[in-house]
Amino acid sequence: MRSADLQRGPDRASSGVGTRKCEMTVHNLYIFDRNGACLHYSEWNRKKQAGISKQEEFKLMYGMLFSIRSFVSKMSPLDMREGFQCFQTSRYKLHFYETPTGLKFIMNTDLSVPNARETLHQIYSTLYVDYIVKNPLCSLGDPLQSDLFSARLDTFIKNLPYFNPRAA
Amino acid sequence: MSLGDRQPEKKHLKDMADEVLFDFLHMEMVSHVYKEQRSSKGELDSKDRAVCVSILEGMGFRVGQGLIERMTRDSPSFKDELDMMKFICKDFWTQVFRKQIDNLRTNHQGTYVLQDNKFVLLTQLSSGKQYLEEAPKYLAYSCGLVRGALSNLGLESVVTAEVSLMPSCKFQVVIQKL
C-alpha cells in the first residue's frame, strides 16, 4: 500500500499487474459528516465485502482515515497543502475529499482513475448542496434519505467517463 | 463550492440577489412557525397545523401586496380579470419563482387553476411521492403571495394549493364576487 500526499494535478499513469482498460470503474462511495456519522453509502461494483457489519465498516473507514490524515500531516517532510488525498493498492484506489464544512467524501475506484478530487467536489457542490442542504426535510447530521439525491447520485456516477458496470 | 455555477439562461436575473437567499429563508420560516406552535401546544393536531398554514399564508399576503405594487408601477392598467391572471402567471411568477406558470385553466366564472410543473420551492425535495405529506407546508406562503397580489389589484380571492406528484403543483384561485 502506497500513500500519496502532496499530489498536484493528474496522477502518473498506473502501470503493472492488473490495469486493463476495461476495468475502469467506481466501486463504492461513502459520505461522512464532521462527527463521523456515515450519511450515505452506495456501491456499484463491489466483489468482496469486508466481512464485518456495515456499522463496523463505517467506523473502521472513518477511524482509519482520521489516523491516516493525522499521520500524513505529522510525517510530511514538507509543508502540507491539501493533505491526504488518495491511496492505492494493487487492485483499487481510494480517493478522499473533505469540504470546508467537514464533510468527507470517500470513493473507491480502480487503478486507472487519476485524482478524483474534482469529481468528489462536484458531487458535493451540485448534488449534496442542491438536494440535501436545500431540502428543508433533511436535517443536517441525519442519514440521507432523499430518494431524489440517491437517484441523481446514481445517474452522476454512471455517467462518469471511467464508470464501467461490468468491471472484470 | 461555487454559488455562481448557474445556467446561462438565468443571466436576466443578474441584478437580483442570489435566489438561494430566499430559498433558505423560506425553509427556516416554515420550520420556525411549526416549532413555535409545537413549543406552545405540544404535539400538533390538525387545528394547530391549520394555524401554522394560516400564519405562513398571512406573511405571503402582505409580501404579495407589496410586490405587486412594485411590479406594476410602470405598467398600464389591466383590461379585465383574465388579464390580471395572465400577468400573475407570466410576469409575477417569473419575478418571484424564476419561471412562468405552465398551464392556466379557467371556467370563466371566477375560478382559475394555475399549474406549475416544476415549482421552484419543491424541486429540491423530491421528484415523486417522497415527502408528499410535508409539501403543503411549503406552499402556504406562496398561496398568500398570490392572494396578496390579487388583493392589491382589486380582486378578493381564496387561494389554495394541491400537490400529487412533486415537483408539480396546482394553485386554485377563486375570485370572490362582492
Side-chain angles (χ1 to χ4, degrees):
Chain A
M1 180 176 114
R2 282 169 288 174
S3 244
D5 64 338
L6 296 182
Q7 274 201 320
R8 262 166 259 124
D11 219 354
R12 70 238 178 290
S14 293
S15 56
V17 182
T19 50
R20 292 185 292 274
K21 266 285 179 293
C22 61
E23 266 194 16
M24 295 176 73
T25 189
V26 174
H27 295 292
N28 52 12
L29 177 80
Y30 301 75
I31 304 180
F32 290 93
D33 73 357
R34 67 165 75 229
N35 300 319
C38 184
L39 299 178
H40 183 84
Y41 170 74
S42 294
E43 63 182 41
W44 292 272
N45 248 321
R46 185 175 185 171
K47 300 284 171 56
K48 177 188 150 315
Q49 297 296 325
I52 50 180
S53 76
K54 273 285 175 281
Q55 290 308 312
E56 287 177 1
E57 181 180 314
F58 298 149
K59 271 205 287 230
L60 179 62
M61 173 63 85
Y62 187 82
M64 186 276 302
L65 281 172
F66 190 86
S67 306
I68 280 196
R69 282 163 59 231
S70 158
F71 170 83
V72 152
S73 80
K74 281 203 182 71
M75 297 308 206
S76 171
L78 304 163
D79 278 329
M80 288 266 289
R81 287 196 189 189
E82 308 288 355
F84 174 68
Q85 293 190 345
C86 67
F87 73 66
Q88 67 181 64
T89 75
S90 53
R91 296 303 305 275
Y92 73 94
K93 194 167 185 173
L94 178 145
H95 305 263
F96 174 81
Y97 172 66
E98 181 174 3
T99 73
T101 52
L103 280 168
K104 301 173 179 51
F105 291 78
I106 294 133
M107 186 162 77
N108 286 319
T109 68
D110 79 295
L111 295 172
S112 59
V113 176
N115 198 331
R117 196 178 164 76
E118 197 41 53
T119 305
L120 292 176
H121 176 77
Q122 258 192 295
I123 292 179
Y124 170 65
S125 65
T126 57
L127 297 175
Y128 182 83
V129 169
D130 273 348
Y131 297 113
I132 301 296
V133 178
K134 285 201 194 169
N135 185 336
L137 300 162
C138 290
S139 322
L140 304 180
D142 284 349
L144 309 181
Q145 279 159 350
S146 166
D147 291 342
L148 189 55
F149 172 78
S150 306
R152 295 269 193 265
L153 177 64
D154 197 56
T155 312
F156 179 85
I157 294 285
K158 292 193 169 139
N159 283 335
L160 286 173
Y162 44 80
F163 181 79
N164 181 341
R166 288 160 300 135
Chain B
M1 176 178 94
S2 159
L3 288 172
D5 281 349
R6 297 284 178 208
Q7 294 90 353
E9 66 259 20
K10 308 243 168 113
K11 266 205 281 275
H12 70 282
L13 297 169
K14 65 178 175 337
D15 48 2
M16 295 180 69
D18 197 320
E19 50 233 29
V20 281
L21 298 175
F22 173 67
D23 291 346
F24 281 133
L25 183 61
H26 179 256
M27 271 166 57
E28 192 45 38
M29 249 166 56
V30 175
S31 153
H32 176 80
V33 166
Y34 277 80
K35 225 184 314 199
E36 286 287 293
Q37 196 69 6
R38 206 169 283 135
S39 66
S40 65
K41 295 287 193 64
E43 262 319 300
L44 296 180
D45 62 12
S46 59
K47 208 157 67 83
D48 297 323
R49 271 190 281 267
V51 168
C52 291
V53 164
S54 68
I55 293 177
L56 288 164
E57 211 262 355
M59 287 189 200
F61 181 78
R62 184 61 196 88
V63 174
Q65 283 184 317
L67 268 180
I68 202 79
E69 196 75 69
R70 190 180 180 292
M71 279 182 211
T72 57
R73 63 186 171 180
D74 298 321
S75 357
S77 50
F78 295 103
K79 290 198 276 350
D80 59 10
E81 199 176 274
L82 185 58
D83 216 32
M84 291 185 203
M85 290 310 298
K86 287 198 194 155
F87 179 85
I88 299 278
C89 294
K90 295 217 267 254
D91 303 72
F92 185 83
W93 221 257
T94 308
Q95 290 256 349
V96 181
F97 299 118
R98 281 109 66 187
K99 65 184 283 289
Q100 296 188 0
I101 282 284
D102 295 304
N103 195 349
L104 172 67
R105 288 204 306 274
T106 174
N107 64 359
H108 293 290
Q109 282 171 6
T111 302
Y112 299 85
V113 177
L114 288 69
Q115 182 167 335
D116 190 332
N117 292 327
K118 273 187 76 169
F119 188 58
V120 100
L121 295 172
L122 293 179
T123 45
Q124 317 299 98
L125 262 72
S126 104
S127 62
K129 302 265 181 194
Q130 196 189 23
Y131 300 130
L132 196 59
E133 18 2 286
E134 313 277 350
K137 291 189 204 171
Y138 299 95
L139 298 172
Y141 175 85
S142 308
C143 289
L145 268 184
V146 175
R147 190 168 69 88
L150 289 172
S151 153
N152 230 6
L153 289 175
L155 296 175
E156 289 307 314
S157 59
V158 173
V159 182
T160 50
E162 67 167 60
V163 55
S164 52
L165 191 69
M166 310 239 249
S168 164
C169 67
K170 294 197 178 116
F171 291 86
Q172 180 172 280
V173 178
V174 179
I175 308 288
Q176 310 292 294
K177 301 284 185 227
L178 298 151

PDB file of all heavy atoms in Angstrom, chain B residues 48-80:
ATOM      1  N   ASP B  48     -53.944  22.880  14.947  1.00  0.00           N
ATOM      2  CA  ASP B  48     -52.679  23.617  15.088  1.00  0.00           C
ATOM      3  C   ASP B  48     -51.980  23.749  13.750  1.00  0.00           C
ATOM      4  O   ASP B  48     -51.390  24.788  13.440  1.00  0.00           O
ATOM      5  CB  ASP B  48     -51.750  22.889  16.069  1.00  0.00           C
ATOM      6  CG  ASP B  48     -52.343  22.843  17.456  1.00  0.00           C
ATOM      7  OD1 ASP B  48     -52.977  23.828  17.849  1.00  0.00           O
ATOM      8  OD2 ASP B  48     -52.161  21.817  18.129  1.00  0.00           O
ATOM      9  N   ARG B  49     -52.044  22.669  12.960  1.00  0.00           N
ATOM     10  CA  ARG B  49     -51.384  22.718  11.656  1.00  0.00           C
ATOM     11  C   ARG B  49     -52.055  23.770  10.782  1.00  0.00           C
ATOM     12  O   ARG B  49     -51.405  24.489  10.032  1.00  0.00           O
ATOM     13  CB  ARG B  49     -51.427  21.352  10.970  1.00  0.00           C
ATOM     14  CG  ARG B  49     -50.243  20.476  11.331  1.00  0.00           C
ATOM     15  CD  ARG B  49     -50.206  19.245  10.444  1.00  0.00           C
ATOM     16  NE  ARG B  49     -51.154  18.261  10.913  1.00  0.00           N
ATOM     17  CZ  ARG B  49     -50.834  17.290  11.756  1.00  0.00           C
ATOM     18  NH1 ARG B  49     -49.614  17.176  12.198  1.00  0.00           N
ATOM     19  NH2 ARG B  49     -51.747  16.429  12.159  1.00  0.00           N
ATOM     20  N   ALA B  50     -53.380  23.874  10.917  1.00  0.00           N
ATOM     21  CA  ALA B  50     -54.092  24.894  10.132  1.00  0.00           C
ATOM     22  C   ALA B  50     -53.659  26.287  10.564  1.00  0.00           C
ATOM     23  O   ALA B  50     -53.553  27.197   9.742  1.00  0.00           O
ATOM     24  CB  ALA B  50     -55.599  24.728  10.303  1.00  0.00           C
ATOM     25  N   VAL B  51     -53.383  26.458  11.871  1.00  0.00           N
ATOM     26  CA  VAL B  51     -52.911  27.751  12.362  1.00  0.00           C
ATOM     27  C   VAL B  51     -51.570  28.089  11.729  1.00  0.00           C
ATOM     28  O   VAL B  51     -51.335  29.217  11.280  1.00  0.00           O
ATOM     29  CB  VAL B  51     -52.790  27.734  13.906  1.00  0.00           C
ATOM     30  CG1 VAL B  51     -52.036  28.940  14.402  1.00  0.00           C
ATOM     31  CG2 VAL B  51     -54.164  27.676  14.540  1.00  0.00           C
ATOM     32  N   CYS B  52     -50.676  27.100  11.685  1.00  0.00           N
ATOM     33  CA  CYS B  52     -49.357  27.328  11.073  1.00  0.00           C
ATOM     34  C   CYS B  52     -49.502  27.741   9.617  1.00  0.00           C
ATOM     35  O   CYS B  52     -48.851  28.686   9.160  1.00  0.00           O
ATOM     36  CB  CYS B  52     -48.502  26.063  11.136  1.00  0.00           C
ATOM     37  SG  CYS B  52     -47.987  25.625  12.790  1.00  0.00           S
ATOM     38  N   VAL B  53     -50.366  27.011   8.908  1.00  0.00           N
ATOM     39  CA  VAL B  53     -50.550  27.320   7.492  1.00  0.00           C
ATOM     40  C   VAL B  53     -51.081  28.732   7.325  1.00  0.00           C
ATOM     41  O   VAL B  53     -50.633  29.474   6.449  1.00  0.00           O
ATOM     42  CB  VAL B  53     -51.497  26.280   6.840  1.00  0.00           C
ATOM     43  CG1 VAL B  53     -52.007  26.772   5.509  1.00  0.00           C
ATOM     44  CG2 VAL B  53     -50.787  24.957   6.665  1.00  0.00           C
ATOM     45  N   SER B  54     -52.001  29.137   8.214  1.00  0.00           N
ATOM     46  CA  SER B  54     -52.561  30.480   8.016  1.00  0.00           C
ATOM     47  C   SER B  54     -51.574  31.569   8.419  1.00  0.00           C
ATOM     48  O   SER B  54     -51.607  32.667   7.856  1.00  0.00           O
ATOM     49  CB  SER B  54     -53.895  30.640   8.731  1.00  0.00           C
ATOM     50  OG  SER B  54     -53.705  30.606  10.107  1.00  0.00           O
ATOM     51  N   ILE B  55     -50.673  31.273   9.349  1.00  0.00           N
ATOM     52  CA  ILE B  55     -49.627  32.255   9.670  1.00  0.00           C
ATOM     53  C   ILE B  55     -48.760  32.486   8.443  1.00  0.00           C
ATOM     54  O   ILE B  55     -48.480  33.625   8.053  1.00  0.00           O
ATOM     55  CB  ILE B  55     -48.746  31.772  10.838  1.00  0.00           C
ATOM     56  CG1 ILE B  55     -49.550  31.732  12.128  1.00  0.00           C
ATOM     57  CG2 ILE B  55     -47.532  32.682  11.014  1.00  0.00           C
ATOM     58  CD1 ILE B  55     -48.779  31.194  13.303  1.00  0.00           C
ATOM     59  N   LEU B  56     -48.323  31.366   7.821  1.00  0.00           N
ATOM     60  CA  LEU B  56     -47.457  31.479   6.639  1.00  0.00           C
ATOM     61  C   LEU B  56     -48.190  32.172   5.497  1.00  0.00           C
ATOM     62  O   LEU B  56     -47.620  32.993   4.775  1.00  0.00           O
ATOM     63  CB  LEU B  56     -46.994  30.085   6.201  1.00  0.00           C
ATOM     64  CG  LEU B  56     -45.973  29.448   7.129  1.00  0.00           C
ATOM     65  CD1 LEU B  56     -45.862  27.960   6.862  1.00  0.00           C
ATOM     66  CD2 LEU B  56     -44.618  30.112   6.976  1.00  0.00           C
ATOM     67  N   GLU B  57     -49.478  31.837   5.362  1.00  0.00           N
ATOM     68  CA  GLU B  57     -50.263  32.441   4.282  1.00  0.00           C
ATOM     69  C   GLU B  57     -50.410  33.945   4.509  1.00  0.00           C
ATOM     70  O   GLU B  57     -50.343  34.745   3.574  1.00  0.00           O
ATOM     71  CB  GLU B  57     -51.637  31.758   4.243  1.00  0.00           C
ATOM     72  CG  GLU B  57     -52.269  31.682   2.882  1.00  0.00           C
ATOM     73  CD  GLU B  57     -53.278  32.798   2.676  1.00  0.00           C
ATOM     74  OE1 GLU B  57     -53.503  33.535   3.664  1.00  0.00           O
ATOM     75  OE2 GLU B  57     -53.814  32.926   1.572  1.00  0.00           O
ATOM     76  N   GLY B  58     -50.575  34.319   5.760  1.00  0.00           N
ATOM     77  CA  GLY B  58     -50.697  35.737   6.089  1.00  0.00           C
ATOM     78  C   GLY B  58     -49.437  36.508   5.761  1.00  0.00           C
ATOM     79  O   GLY B  58     -49.484  37.632   5.255  1.00  0.00           O
ATOM     80  N   MET B  59     -48.265  35.875   6.021  1.00  0.00           N
ATOM     81  CA  MET B  59     -46.996  36.528   5.684  1.00  0.00           C
ATOM     82  C   MET B  59     -46.936  36.763   4.186  1.00  0.00           C
ATOM     83  O   MET B  59     -46.575  37.841   3.706  1.00  0.00           O
ATOM     84  CB  MET B  59     -45.821  35.630   6.049  1.00  0.00           C
ATOM     85  CG  MET B  59     -45.529  35.512   7.498  1.00  0.00           C
ATOM     86  SD  MET B  59     -43.956  34.628   7.640  1.00  0.00           S
ATOM     87  CE  MET B  59     -44.057  34.065   9.296  1.00  0.00           C
ATOM     88  N   GLY B  60     -47.307  35.717   3.444  1.00  0.00           N
ATOM     89  CA  GLY B  60     -47.261  35.797   1.988  1.00  0.00           C
ATOM     90  C   GLY B  60     -48.197  36.880   1.470  1.00  0.00           C
ATOM     91  O   GLY B  60     -47.885  37.582   0.515  1.00  0.00           O
ATOM     92  N   PHE B  61     -49.342  37.016   2.133  1.00  0.00           N
ATOM     93  CA  PHE B  61     -50.341  38.010   1.711  1.00  0.00           C
ATOM     94  C   PHE B  61     -49.741  39.415   1.728  1.00  0.00           C
ATOM     95  O   PHE B  61     -49.813  40.153   0.738  1.00  0.00           O
ATOM     96  CB  PHE B  61     -51.548  37.939   2.651  1.00  0.00           C
ATOM     97  CG  PHE B  61     -52.635  38.896   2.307  1.00  0.00           C
ATOM     98  CD1 PHE B  61     -53.504  38.635   1.255  1.00  0.00           C
ATOM     99  CD2 PHE B  61     -52.811  40.075   3.033  1.00  0.00           C
ATOM    100  CE1 PHE B  61     -54.527  39.526   0.928  1.00  0.00           C
ATOM    101  CE2 PHE B  61     -53.825  40.962   2.717  1.00  0.00           C
ATOM    102  CZ  PHE B  61     -54.683  40.691   1.655  1.00  0.00           C
ATOM    103  N   ARG B  62     -49.121  39.764   2.842  1.00  0.00           N
ATOM    104  CA  ARG B  62     -48.571  41.109   2.976  1.00  0.00           C
ATOM    105  C   ARG B  62     -47.449  41.339   1.973  1.00  0.00           C
ATOM    106  O   ARG B  62     -47.344  42.391   1.342  1.00  0.00           O
ATOM    107  CB  ARG B  62     -48.076  41.284   4.429  1.00  0.00           C
ATOM    108  CG  ARG B  62     -47.555  42.647   4.756  1.00  0.00           C
ATOM    109  CD  ARG B  62     -48.588  43.736   4.592  1.00  0.00           C
ATOM    110  NE  ARG B  62     -47.958  45.050   4.548  1.00  0.00           N
ATOM    111  CZ  ARG B  62     -47.521  45.625   3.448  1.00  0.00           C
ATOM    112  NH1 ARG B  62     -47.638  45.001   2.276  1.00  0.00           N
ATOM    113  NH2 ARG B  62     -46.970  46.818   3.486  1.00  0.00           N
ATOM    114  N   VAL B  63     -46.596  40.307   1.784  1.00  0.00           N
ATOM    115  CA  VAL B  63     -45.492  40.435   0.829  1.00  0.00           C
ATOM    116  C   VAL B  63     -46.032  40.555  -0.591  1.00  0.00           C
ATOM    117  O   VAL B  63     -45.552  41.362  -1.381  1.00  0.00           O
ATOM    118  CB  VAL B  63     -44.537  39.222   0.942  1.00  0.00           C
ATOM    119  CG1 VAL B  63     -43.474  39.259  -0.127  1.00  0.00           C
ATOM    120  CG2 VAL B  63     -43.881  39.209   2.311  1.00  0.00           C
ATOM    121  N   GLY B  64     -47.074  39.770  -0.890  1.00  0.00           N
ATOM    122  CA  GLY B  64     -47.650  39.805  -2.232  1.00  0.00           C
ATOM    123  C   GLY B  64     -48.218  41.172  -2.558  1.00  0.00           C
ATOM    124  O   GLY B  64     -48.052  41.678  -3.673  1.00  0.00           O
ATOM    125  N   GLN B  65     -48.854  41.789  -1.562  1.00  0.00           N
ATOM    126  CA  GLN B  65     -49.408  43.132  -1.783  1.00  0.00           C
ATOM    127  C   GLN B  65     -48.315  44.108  -2.156  1.00  0.00           C
ATOM    128  O   GLN B  65     -48.447  44.882  -3.108  1.00  0.00           O
ATOM    129  CB  GLN B  65     -50.086  43.641  -0.501  1.00  0.00           C
ATOM    130  CG  GLN B  65     -51.428  43.048  -0.224  1.00  0.00           C
ATOM    131  CD  GLN B  65     -52.055  43.687   0.990  1.00  0.00           C
ATOM    132  OE1 GLN B  65     -51.407  43.907   2.010  1.00  0.00           O
ATOM    133  NE2 GLN B  65     -53.324  43.996   0.897  1.00  0.00           N
ATOM    134  N   GLY B  66     -47.223  44.059  -1.415  1.00  0.00           N
ATOM    135  CA  GLY B  66     -46.123  44.983  -1.690  1.00  0.00           C
ATOM    136  C   GLY B  66     -45.468  44.713  -3.030  1.00  0.00           C
ATOM    137  O   GLY B  66     -45.167  45.617  -3.798  1.00  0.00           O
ATOM    138  N   LEU B  67     -45.258  43.407  -3.310  1.00  0.00           N
ATOM    139  CA  LEU B  67     -44.572  43.036  -4.550  1.00  0.00           C
ATOM    140  C   LEU B  67     -45.329  43.492  -5.780  1.00  0.00           C
ATOM    141  O   LEU B  67     -44.743  43.983  -6.742  1.00  0.00           O
ATOM    142  CB  LEU B  67     -44.428  41.506  -4.620  1.00  0.00           C
ATOM    143  CG  LEU B  67     -43.156  40.891  -4.067  1.00  0.00           C
ATOM    144  CD1 LEU B  67     -43.212  39.390  -4.233  1.00  0.00           C
ATOM    145  CD2 LEU B  67     -41.936  41.446  -4.764  1.00  0.00           C
ATOM    146  N   ILE B  68     -46.667  43.329  -5.752  1.00  0.00           N
ATOM    147  CA  ILE B  68     -47.436  43.656  -6.953  1.00  0.00           C
ATOM    148  C   ILE B  68     -47.421  45.163  -7.177  1.00  0.00           C
ATOM    149  O   ILE B  68     -47.388  45.638  -8.306  1.00  0.00           O
ATOM    150  CB  ILE B  68     -48.867  43.094  -6.871  1.00  0.00           C
ATOM    151  CG1 ILE B  68     -49.470  42.958  -8.265  1.00  0.00           C
ATOM    152  CG2 ILE B  68     -49.760  43.969  -6.035  1.00  0.00           C
ATOM    153  CD1 ILE B  68     -48.979  41.741  -8.997  1.00  0.00           C
ATOM    154  N   GLU B  69     -47.396  45.906  -6.082  1.00  0.00           N
ATOM    155  CA  GLU B  69     -47.331  47.362  -6.171  1.00  0.00           C
ATOM    156  C   GLU B  69     -46.075  47.764  -6.915  1.00  0.00           C
ATOM    157  O   GLU B  69     -46.074  48.577  -7.821  1.00  0.00           O
ATOM    158  CB  GLU B  69     -47.288  47.917  -4.732  1.00  0.00           C
ATOM    159  CG  GLU B  69     -47.594  49.371  -4.598  1.00  0.00           C
ATOM    160  CD  GLU B  69     -49.070  49.637  -4.768  1.00  0.00           C
ATOM    161  OE1 GLU B  69     -49.844  49.232  -3.876  1.00  0.00           O
ATOM    162  OE2 GLU B  69     -49.427  50.241  -5.780  1.00  0.00           O
ATOM    163  N   ARG B  70     -44.978  47.113  -6.535  1.00  0.00           N
ATOM    164  CA  ARG B  70     -43.700  47.443  -7.125  1.00  0.00           C
ATOM    165  C   ARG B  70     -43.601  46.983  -8.577  1.00  0.00           C
ATOM    166  O   ARG B  70     -43.059  47.652  -9.427  1.00  0.00           O
ATOM    167  CB  ARG B  70     -42.581  46.803  -6.310  1.00  0.00           C
ATOM    168  CG  ARG B  70     -41.226  47.303  -6.725  1.00  0.00           C
ATOM    169  CD  ARG B  70     -40.156  46.650  -5.885  1.00  0.00           C
ATOM    170  NE  ARG B  70     -38.841  47.104  -6.236  1.00  0.00           N
ATOM    171  CZ  ARG B  70     -38.219  46.853  -7.395  1.00  0.00           C
ATOM    172  NH1 ARG B  70     -38.859  46.160  -8.328  1.00  0.00           N
ATOM    173  NH2 ARG B  70     -37.012  47.302  -7.636  1.00  0.00           N
ATOM    174  N   MET B  71     -44.187  45.800  -8.845  1.00  0.00           N
ATOM    175  CA  MET B  71     -44.035  45.251 -10.194  1.00  0.00           C
ATOM    176  C   MET B  71     -44.859  45.973 -11.229  1.00  0.00           C
ATOM    177  O   MET B  71     -44.511  46.003 -12.401  1.00  0.00           O
ATOM    178  CB  MET B  71     -44.458  43.787 -10.205  1.00  0.00           C
ATOM    179  CG  MET B  71     -43.409  42.867  -9.725  1.00  0.00           C
ATOM    180  SD  MET B  71     -44.037  41.202  -9.860  1.00  0.00           S
ATOM    181  CE  MET B  71     -43.206  40.463  -8.510  1.00  0.00           C
ATOM    182  N   THR B  72     -46.006  46.514 -10.810  1.00  0.00           N
ATOM    183  CA  THR B  72     -46.893  47.087 -11.821  1.00  0.00           C
ATOM    184  C   THR B  72     -46.815  48.610 -11.858  1.00  0.00           C
ATOM    185  O   THR B  72     -47.598  49.253 -12.524  1.00  0.00           O
ATOM    186  CB  THR B  72     -48.349  46.690 -11.557  1.00  0.00           C
ATOM    187  OG1 THR B  72     -48.689  47.119 -10.224  1.00  0.00           O
ATOM    188  CG2 THR B  72     -48.530  45.203 -11.669  1.00  0.00           C
ATOM    189  N   ARG B  73     -45.851  49.178 -11.139  1.00  0.00           N
ATOM    190  CA  ARG B  73     -45.869  50.639 -11.026  1.00  0.00           C
ATOM    191  C   ARG B  73     -45.728  51.330 -12.364  1.00  0.00           C
ATOM    192  O   ARG B  73     -46.178  52.441 -12.555  1.00  0.00           O
ATOM    193  CB  ARG B  73     -44.793  51.117 -10.055  1.00  0.00           C
ATOM    194  CG  ARG B  73     -43.391  50.791 -10.501  1.00  0.00           C
ATOM    195  CD  ARG B  73     -42.372  51.157  -9.449  1.00  0.00           C
ATOM    196  NE  ARG B  73     -41.065  50.624  -9.826  1.00  0.00           N
ATOM    197  CZ  ARG B  73     -39.988  50.788  -9.100  1.00  0.00           C
ATOM    198  NH1 ARG B  73     -40.044  51.448  -7.974  1.00  0.00           N
ATOM    199  NH2 ARG B  73     -38.837  50.274  -9.494  1.00  0.00           N
ATOM    200  N   ASP B  74     -45.056  50.630 -13.328  1.00  0.00           N
ATOM    201  CA  ASP B  74     -44.869  51.281 -14.630  1.00  0.00           C
ATOM    202  C   ASP B  74     -45.758  50.701 -15.709  1.00  0.00           C
ATOM    203  O   ASP B  74     -45.648  51.077 -16.865  1.00  0.00           O
ATOM    204  CB  ASP B  74     -43.399  51.133 -15.074  1.00  0.00           C
ATOM    205  CG  ASP B  74     -42.456  51.818 -14.103  1.00  0.00           C
ATOM    206  OD1 ASP B  74     -42.807  52.908 -13.625  1.00  0.00           O
ATOM    207  OD2 ASP B  74     -41.386  51.254 -13.803  1.00  0.00           O
ATOM    208  N   SER B  75     -46.635  49.731 -15.361  1.00  0.00           N
ATOM    209  CA  SER B  75     -47.438  49.149 -16.445  1.00  0.00           C
ATOM    210  C   SER B  75     -48.784  49.859 -16.557  1.00  0.00           C
ATOM    211  O   SER B  75     -49.257  50.453 -15.599  1.00  0.00           O
ATOM    212  CB  SER B  75     -47.681  47.659 -16.207  1.00  0.00           C
ATOM    213  OG  SER B  75     -47.039  47.194 -15.090  1.00  0.00           O
ATOM    214  N   PRO B  76     -49.394  49.726 -17.740  1.00  0.00           N
ATOM    215  CA  PRO B  76     -50.745  50.292 -17.905  1.00  0.00           C
ATOM    216  C   PRO B  76     -51.745  49.461 -17.104  1.00  0.00           C
ATOM    217  O   PRO B  76     -51.438  48.346 -16.695  1.00  0.00           O
ATOM    218  CB  PRO B  76     -51.000  50.151 -19.409  1.00  0.00           C
ATOM    219  CG  PRO B  76     -50.108  49.046 -19.847  1.00  0.00           C
ATOM    220  CD  PRO B  76     -48.908  49.070 -18.954  1.00  0.00           C
ATOM    221  N   SER B  77     -52.941  49.994 -16.893  1.00  0.00           N
ATOM    222  CA  SER B  77     -53.909  49.252 -16.070  1.00  0.00           C
ATOM    223  C   SER B  77     -54.451  48.053 -16.844  1.00  0.00           C
ATOM    224  O   SER B  77     -54.382  47.995 -18.071  1.00  0.00           O
ATOM    225  CB  SER B  77     -55.040  50.167 -15.630  1.00  0.00           C
ATOM    226  OG  SER B  77     -55.544  50.857 -16.733  1.00  0.00           O
ATOM    227  N   PHE B  78     -54.956  47.073 -16.105  1.00  0.00           N
ATOM    228  CA  PHE B  78     -55.377  45.821 -16.729  1.00  0.00           C
ATOM    229  C   PHE B  78     -56.784  45.939 -17.291  1.00  0.00           C
ATOM    230  O   PHE B  78     -57.639  46.615 -16.755  1.00  0.00           O
ATOM    231  CB  PHE B  78     -55.334  44.697 -15.696  1.00  0.00           C
ATOM    232  CG  PHE B  78     -53.949  44.409 -15.223  1.00  0.00           C
ATOM    233  CD1 PHE B  78     -53.511  44.849 -13.992  1.00  0.00           C
ATOM    234  CD2 PHE B  78     -53.072  43.699 -16.027  1.00  0.00           C
ATOM    235  CE1 PHE B  78     -52.227  44.584 -13.563  1.00  0.00           C
ATOM    236  CE2 PHE B  78     -51.785  43.437 -15.596  1.00  0.00           C
ATOM    237  CZ  PHE B  78     -51.359  43.882 -14.357  1.00  0.00           C
ATOM    238  N   LYS B  79     -56.991  45.220 -18.404  1.00  0.00           N
ATOM    239  CA  LYS B  79     -58.302  45.298 -19.075  1.00  0.00           C
ATOM    240  C   LYS B  79     -59.365  44.616 -18.237  1.00  0.00           C
ATOM    241  O   LYS B  79     -60.439  45.132 -18.021  1.00  0.00           O
ATOM    242  CB  LYS B  79     -58.225  44.607 -20.447  1.00  0.00           C
ATOM    243  CG  LYS B  79     -57.380  45.379 -21.458  1.00  0.00           C
ATOM    244  CD  LYS B  79     -57.686  44.912 -22.864  1.00  0.00           C
ATOM    245  CE  LYS B  79     -56.987  43.727 -23.322  1.00  0.00           C
ATOM    246  NZ  LYS B  79     -56.126  42.862 -23.196  1.00  0.00           N
ATOM    247  N   ASP B  80     -59.063  43.382 -17.810  1.00  0.00           N
ATOM    248  CA  ASP B  80     -60.081  42.620 -17.075  1.00  0.00           C
ATOM    249  C   ASP B  80     -59.409  41.595 -16.180  1.00  0.00           C
ATOM    250  O   ASP B  80     -58.189  41.515 -16.090  1.00  0.00           O
ATOM    251  CB  ASP B  80     -61.040  41.945 -18.063  1.00  0.00           C
ATOM    252  CG  ASP B  80     -60.300  41.005 -19.005  1.00  0.00           C
ATOM    253  OD1 ASP B  80     -59.096  40.744 -18.777  1.00  0.00           O
ATOM    254  OD2 ASP B  80     -60.893  40.549 -19.985  1.00  0.00           O
TER     255      ASP B  80
END
